[in-house]
Amino acid sequence: MIETINIKNFGPIGNAEIQFTDLTILVGPQACGKSILLQMFKLLKDKKHILQTLDKYSYIVNKNPDNILEAYFGEGISRIWTEESNISINGKEKKKSSLLGMSQTEETEEVFYIPAQRILSMNDGRLKNFMEFDNTTPYVLKYFSEILRLYIQKGLGSDKQIFPIQARLKASVKTSFNDSVFHNGKIIMDERNGQKRLRMSINDMNIPFMTWSAGQKEFMPMLLGFYGLTGPKSQFINNSYYKYVIIEEPEMGLHPRAILSVMLQIIELMHKGYKIILSTHSTLPLEFAWAFNMLKPENSKFGISPLLKLFGMEGCKSSDKGIFSNIWDKEIKTYLFSYKGEKVETSDISSLDASSENSDISEWGGLSSFASKASEIISENLW
């Protein structure tokens, strides 16, 4: 079932309506409510599991929805849900009081959330535990860090090498990450000084985490999340329960080639049946969405050949090409978050039509506006 969330008068959001398809891309400037909407979606879908987790870590939230909002969004943010707020999923309104209700049975999650601040989960190569974060830190970051910490310690087996691992990722995806991010560096779990920390082994050097490139550091927590979602289910990341994967700003610190590698991994996640939700400031996911929607009506003529060429996979093994086998059954939508006066509203810009009279669509929510303006100025002055 396709989920639709409607939010009105919630923080900076005046009116937002998002339909989550197989791949949903959210664009817009900073502080326009994308993360708030996505965190709210997870809270509504996974409320019972979240309450159990907060209780496990001694957060006192029961019988007061404002306490839940404080613990979930971060200290001082409970007022985000006012009397004027209206939130619904699939047309069913959710009252603030609906956040209450602790389950006595062990609950599972539907939404796997990879937050934009994921680099903060790593402390000099060591994943931080839930209680190391202060009360201003959003739940999604604290929990993401905690489950990765447990997963990397007990869920990856006894192998101390974290990348590459033979039993994780498709060969084409693994090669792509190596070529675009790690450049033959091997990521190992080092246990010197009594603590497990990630280090990179390359050219007879053992490089500590803090001296990695910004992109490598940003990418590492996301890679571990991909391991959990695509590998065998474990006690800490039981991927058989997840329906949605939220990835905020997958492009953080990455070269466009590496972003393309991440998009290839996202296609595999779609192939496995996950519904993917991206928030981004990069044009590359939108370029893929535009190409996909242009080619989809002609798929019976071209098959998957254009997509294989797009990702440089023409010569790959059939098993790797298999991630595209059901691609044309998928649906991709793109939404823009933009300020209309003092509040944010959303609009569907899925066509991404460069010839549209609507500048929000033709300029891809502003992401391509500079390139368009530069081309216009060059044309005016040189031809």
Side-chain angles (χ1 to χ4, degrees):
M1 181 180 68
I2 295 177
E3 303 271 5
T4 300
I5 187 168
N6 299 79
I7 294 183
K8 295 181 180 180
N9 301 317
F10 190 76
I13 299 173
N15 187 14
E17 179 176 341
I18 306 293
Q19 185 181 71
F20 296 113
T21 54
D22 300 288
L23 174 59
T24 308
I25 303 172
L26 309 183
V27 298
Q30 281 85 3
C32 65
K34 299 188 297 294
S35 290
I36 287 172
L37 181 141
L38 294 175
Q39 288 181 51
M40 194 68 227
F41 178 69
K42 177 171 174 62
L43 178 57
L44 295 176
K45 297 297 290 183
D46 291 339
K47 180 201 75 171
K48 292 181 179 180
H49 181 273
I50 289 166
L51 289 180
Q52 286 183 340
T53 302
L54 291 172
D55 182 65
K56 174 183 175 181
Y57 292 105
S58 302
Y59 281 76
I60 302 173
V61 297
N62 205 17
K63 299 182 180 179
N64 189 334
D66 285 337
N67 288 347
I68 297 171
L69 293 172
E70 289 275 305
Y72 183 74
F73 285 104
E75 193 175 80
I77 309 187
S78 63
R79 294 180 183 177
I80 197 171
W81 196 326
T82 68
E83 291 182 359
E84 289 74 37
S85 300
N86 185 281
I87 299 173
S88 64
I89 288 188
N90 299 330
K92 295 181 180 179
E93 185 178 355
K94 300 292 183 179
K95 300 289 187 182
K96 189 191 288 191
S97 58
S98 69
L99 298 179
L100 299 173
M102 181 80 72
S103 175
Q104 299 303 312
T105 58
E106 186 173 354
E107 297 291 337
T108 58
E109 299 179 282
E110 288 188 33
V111 182
F112 189 90
Y113 202 119
I114 302 179
Q117 316 98 315
R118 51 190 169 269
I119 186 59
L120 298 179
S121 67
M122 305 289 290
N123 183 6
D124 191 21
R126 177 185 63 82
L127 283 154
K128 297 162 68 174
N129 67 55
F130 194 98
M131 295 303 291
E132 284 186 78
F133 296 92
D134 63 28
N135 291 336
T136 64
T137 305
Y139 171 92
V140 292
L141 175 57
K142 292 188 283 192
Y143 187 70
F144 176 70
S145 183
E146 175 70 355
I147 61 170
L148 289 191
R149 181 183 71 84
L150 295 171
Y151 179 68
I152 201 172
Q153 288 182 358
K154 303 176 182 179
L156 278 176
S158 59
D159 197 338
K160 292 182 180 180
Q161 184 164 304
I162 306 301
F163 182 88
I165 301 178
Q166 184 175 0
R168 293 291 191 277
L169 307 180
K170 292 284 188 183
S172 56
V173 174
K174 196 183 312 183
T175 298
S176 188
F177 286 155
N178 175 69
D179 294 346
S180 62
V181 180
F182 295 118
H183 310 291
N184 297 321
K186 293 179 171 57
I187 310 305
I188 59 173
M189 182 63 75
D190 189 276
E191 298 184 7
R192 68 185 67 184
N193 300 322
Q195 285 190 320
K196 293 183 177 182
R197 296 181 187 273
L198 296 176
R199 298 175 75 91
M200 184 185 300
S201 175
I202 185 169
N203 297 330
D204 297 322
M205 295 185 293
N206 200 317
I207 304 173
F209 180 79
M210 294 306 294
T211 60
W212 296 9
S213 74
Q216 289 168 338
K217 287 187 284 190
E218 291 278 2
F219 177 72
M220 198 65 220
M222 186 162 58
L223 174 65
L224 294 173
F226 291 155
Y227 279 174
L229 291 165
T230 59
K233 67 181 182 180
S234 76
Q235 177 185 351
F236 309 104
I237 302 181
N238 190 336
N239 52 39
S240 62
Y241 294 121
Y242 292 116
K243 296 179 181 178
Y244 296 89
V245 178
I246 293 173
I247 309 175
E248 292 189 308
E249 300 178 36
E251 70 274 8
M252 294 278 276
L254 296 180
H255 185 276
R257 282 184 59 203
I259 303 171
L260 192 67
S261 300
V262 172
M263 290 304 302
L264 187 61
Q265 178 62 78
I266 286 169
I267 289 171
E268 186 194 357
L269 294 176
M270 292 168 62
H271 174 73
K272 285 180 170 292
Y274 296 111
K275 293 187 182 298
I276 312 300
I277 308 167
L278 300 183
S279 68
T280 185
H281 298 127
S282 169
T283 59
L284 199 147
L286 277 72
E287 289 165 1
F288 168 72
W290 174 79
F292 174 89
N293 286 327
M294 290 293 289
L295 290 167
K296 185 175 180 178
E298 304 293 334
N299 73 82
S300 59
K301 183 188 300 184
F302 300 113
I304 63 172
S305 296
L307 295 180
L308 293 174
K309 185 176 292 186
L310 182 65
F311 286 92
M313 292 180 60
E314 301 98 312
C316 287
K317 296 178 181 178
S318 298
S319 57
D320 283 347
K321 295 177 182 178
I323 64 174
F324 293 98
S325 62
N326 61 350
I327 190 73
W328 299 123
D329 297 330
K330 306 299 183 181
E331 183 178 3
I332 300 176
K333 280 188 170 289
T334 303
Y335 293 91
L336 169 65
F337 286 60
S338 59
Y339 275 93
K340 307 295 184 182
E342 295 183 353
K343 287 288 186 177
V344 171
E345 295 184 9
T346 62
S347 52
D348 186 338
I349 61 169
S350 298
S351 71
L352 300 171
D353 181 2
S355 63
S356 173
E357 294 182 359
N358 183 336
S359 61
D360 287 342
I361 296 174
S362 62
E363 295 180 356
W364 293 5
L367 292 182
S368 65
S369 59
F370 184 81
S372 299
K373 188 174 183 179
S375 297
E376 182 180 326
I377 291 171
I378 294 297
S379 298
E380 289 175 352
N381 288 274
L382 296 184
W383 291 283

